[in-house]
Amino acid sequence: MQTGIVGSGSWATALAKILTDNQHPIRWWIRNEKTISVIQHRKHNPHYLSNAYFNTHLLQMSASIEAVIQACDVIVVAIPSAFVSEAFAHLPAEALRGKKIISAIKGILPEGNDLFHAYLFKKFQFPMADYYTLLGPCHAEEVAAEKLSYLTFSGIDISATQQLAGYFKTEYINTEVNNDITGVQYAAVLKNIYALGAGIAHGLEYGDNFLSVYIANCAYEMSRFLQAVSAHQMSDSNTNMPNYAASVYLGDLLVTCYSLFSRNRTFGNMIGKGYSVKVAQLELNMVAEGYNAAKCIMQINQQYHAAIPIVSIIYAILWEGLPPEDGFKNIESYLV
């Protein structure tokens, strides 16, 4: 099985490390030719996770996304959601035919408020049966340091999903599987919004006691939204609801809200300290998925009508100019 990775940021670099540590050769799409040259000669990504070194004999890197996809059976996509449409824009309609896609995207494509599988179906008629997700809780920095982490893979066919997950299992990576493809993707989107809010709370100098109550309420709000999505899509009333206390739901929410590695938390912290959104974006110099996600989820929820007051207030802070102090005074009144 020939595997390709699309993307060269911290998460893509971490996934490349996992696969090559397992001695799986990969084809790797990296937009910048200079970055390719540095990795070939210095054996590490100069921009992200520079402490992760590669056996370059296992890497075939290319600045052509079409060449990488054409040569591979399985493509792992790990680029920020805002850049997906641009990256895939010039691929021919048949480019993904017969491929398997593993999405490591943790956001919504803002152009159409689409999860990645919906975008692929619209543009390529890509079948859901060949679509899988790869999600945390798993910070790239801890993968680089080889600290024990967990990945959850989701797919329609559990047996095929387990087979793909096996390629990523190492001494420092444990893998789990489920079939809640839509739910895990929305959970990954929501946890970034809530983590951004946790950062705002920290910047406003709320303490740990408040933060624990805030995150507990976020977990409940997330489950309420995911249940609304599941109920809307469910054709079999006997289908069991997923365990929203599992690592891919609650675990990923906790680590993204608490960890100093969380770029969404860092972004929110700057907002709480009085930075404008524009200045915080320039200062962070990385994509905080929760910013665009807040707007997208508000629009998507017009279809599901879930009660998501915490997301609504974070959206108002980020997009409507609501002062963070006033927003969190409002959030206080919702917490139980």
Side-chain angles (χ1 to χ4, degrees):
M1 186 179 73
Q2 185 64 251
T3 304
I5 293 181
V6 171
S8 59
S10 57
W11 192 215
T13 302
L15 295 172
K17 171 182 166 56
I18 292 168
L19 288 169
T20 54
D21 280 356
N22 274 347
Q23 301 305 306
H24 296 304
I26 61 171
R27 294 178 182 265
W28 193 358
W29 176 66
I30 298 174
R31 185 192 302 271
N32 190 311
E33 293 274 11
K34 186 175 180 181
T35 300
I36 292 174
S37 178
V38 172
I39 295 174
Q40 286 173 333
H41 292 94
R42 303 286 296 276
K43 304 184 187 305
H44 70 94
N45 188 331
H47 306 297
Y48 302 97
L49 303 187
S50 57
N51 59 329
Y53 284 81
F54 293 94
N55 176 356
T56 52
H57 296 297
L58 295 172
L59 302 179
Q60 291 189 54
M61 295 173 283
S62 173
S64 167
I65 187 172
E66 187 170 357
V68 168
I69 288 175
Q70 184 177 7
C72 294
D73 308 300
V74 176
I75 300 101
V76 182
V77 183
I79 52 181
S81 57
F83 304 141
V84 168
S85 295
E86 178 187 353
F88 282 73
H90 302 296
L91 291 176
E94 69 279 2
L96 303 182
R97 192 170 299 154
K99 314 290 184 180
K100 294 184 184 298
I101 297 288
I102 301 177
S103 171
I105 296 170
K106 302 175 183 179
I108 294 173
L109 279 64
E111 298 88 348
N113 289 336
D114 290 322
L115 294 173
F116 188 39
H117 70 266
Y119 164 81
L120 291 177
F121 182 77
K122 286 180 181 178
K123 182 170 175 60
F124 300 100
Q125 294 295 299
F126 190 79
M128 195 73 156
D130 291 329
Y131 181 85
Y132 304 83
T133 64
L134 181 172
L135 295 165
C138 196
H139 280 307
E141 293 81 0
E142 291 202 347
V143 171
E146 299 186 2
K147 293 185 179 292
L148 182 61
S149 303
Y150 287 71
L151 292 173
T152 295
F153 290 76
S154 295
I156 291 176
D157 184 331
I158 289 295
S159 177
T161 306
Q162 288 174 329
Q163 182 180 6
L164 289 175
Y167 288 95
F168 293 80
K169 189 172 177 61
T170 72
E171 290 183 354
Y172 58 90
I173 297 291
N174 282 339
T175 59
E176 302 289 339
V177 300
N178 77 12
N179 60 2
D180 183 26
I181 299 174
T182 301
V184 297
Q185 289 180 100
Y186 274 130
V189 172
L190 287 162
K191 58 95 177 179
N192 285 330
I193 303 170
Y194 295 132
L196 203 153
I200 295 174
H202 186 267
L204 292 171
E205 299 186 353
Y206 284 89
D208 289 343
N209 293 337
F210 172 84
L211 195 60
S212 68
V213 176
Y214 166 80
I215 295 172
N217 280 262
C218 290
Y220 178 63
E221 183 173 296
M222 174 192 287
S223 68
R224 195 162 53 211
F225 180 87
L226 297 179
Q227 286 169 9
V229 172
S230 183
H232 189 271
Q233 297 179 342
M234 194 179 293
S235 58
D236 180 0
S237 59
N238 295 317
T239 301
N240 292 326
M241 279 287 184
N243 174 15
Y244 294 130
S247 60
V248 73
Y249 307 99
L250 179 59
D252 208 2
L253 171 66
L254 291 171
V255 75
T256 311
C257 286
Y258 278 119
S259 176
L260 297 179
F261 290 130
S262 169
R263 65 189 69 174
N264 287 284
R265 184 183 188 276
T266 300
F267 183 87
N269 185 53
M270 289 189 279
I271 299 297
K273 289 184 178 298
Y275 288 64
S276 69
V277 167
K278 181 86 171 167
V279 171
Q281 288 173 320
L282 292 171
E283 187 79 17
L284 185 64
N285 197 31
M286 296 174 77
V287 174
E289 291 273 18
Y291 172 64
N292 281 323
K295 184 177 182 180
C296 293
I297 286 291
M298 289 296 294
Q299 295 171 348
I300 289 167
N301 194 45
Q302 293 174 16
Q303 176 183 5
Y304 298 119
H305 305 292
I308 50 172
I310 296 174
V311 169
S312 300
I313 291 170
I314 294 170
Y315 164 77
I317 292 170
L318 297 174
W319 289 91
E320 296 181 341
L322 178 66
E325 299 89 342
D326 296 345
F328 268 77
K329 280 296 179 185
N330 288 338
I331 284 176
E332 287 178 33
S333 68
Y334 289 109
L335 303 185
V336 295

